[in-house]
Amino acid sequence: MNSSTEILFYTGQIISALSTFIILIASIILFIKKRTLATWLILIGSVLVILTSVTSLVIRVFASAESVGTLLLTQGISIIIQNVSYLIFSVGLIILVVSEFSKK
């Protein structure tokens, strides 16, 4: 890769990490202000997204030393786990929106 391509990839990773961190901060603030099932799910999902992101990076380093098959297997598993984390966050967000904005 040339330097301009590397800059694009690093910029994307920085923006992704920053937005994930901002979502975590918003989730913590929301949880502190209102403790419901929805905010619990939002907070748990947000924390799990960060944990799975960091863990998958570390695991990829070790898996890449083994073989391509091991690397692909670990990437597949980490993608599934990370998407379950996003699903938990999304369900919490939907519950929050429905409960807060339902007609009374």
Side-chain angles (χ1 to χ4, degrees):
M1 283 195 296
N2 61 28
S3 63
S4 63
T5 308
E6 289 175 3
I7 290 171
L8 287 175
F9 282 107
Y10 289 134
T11 303
Q13 290 174 345
I14 290 169
I15 292 170
S16 176
L18 183 61
S19 62
T20 304
F21 185 69
I22 290 170
I23 290 172
L24 176 65
I25 292 171
S27 300
I28 291 169
I29 292 169
L30 181 62
F31 179 75
I32 290 170
K33 298 243 181 221
K34 186 170 191 166
R35 293 183 188 208
T36 63
L37 173 64
T39 58
W40 271 104
L41 290 174
I42 290 170
L43 181 62
I44 290 169
S46 185
V47 168
L48 286 175
V49 166
I50 289 179
L51 287 176
T52 56
S53 296
V54 171
T55 304
S56 68
L57 288 174
V58 172
I59 289 174
R60 276 188 227 152
V61 169
F62 292 112
S64 64
E66 294 295 318
S67 68
V68 174
T70 305
L71 179 62
L72 291 175
L73 179 65
T74 57
Q75 282 182 327
I77 292 170
S78 66
I79 287 169
I80 290 170
I81 294 170
Q82 191 168 23
N83 285 327
V84 168
S85 303
Y86 283 120
L87 181 64
I88 293 169
F89 178 87
S90 322
V91 168
L93 186 59
I94 287 174
I95 292 171
L96 179 68
V97 169
V98 168
S99 67
E100 290 297 313
F101 296 107
S102 64
K103 293 182 181 178
K104 295 181 179 177

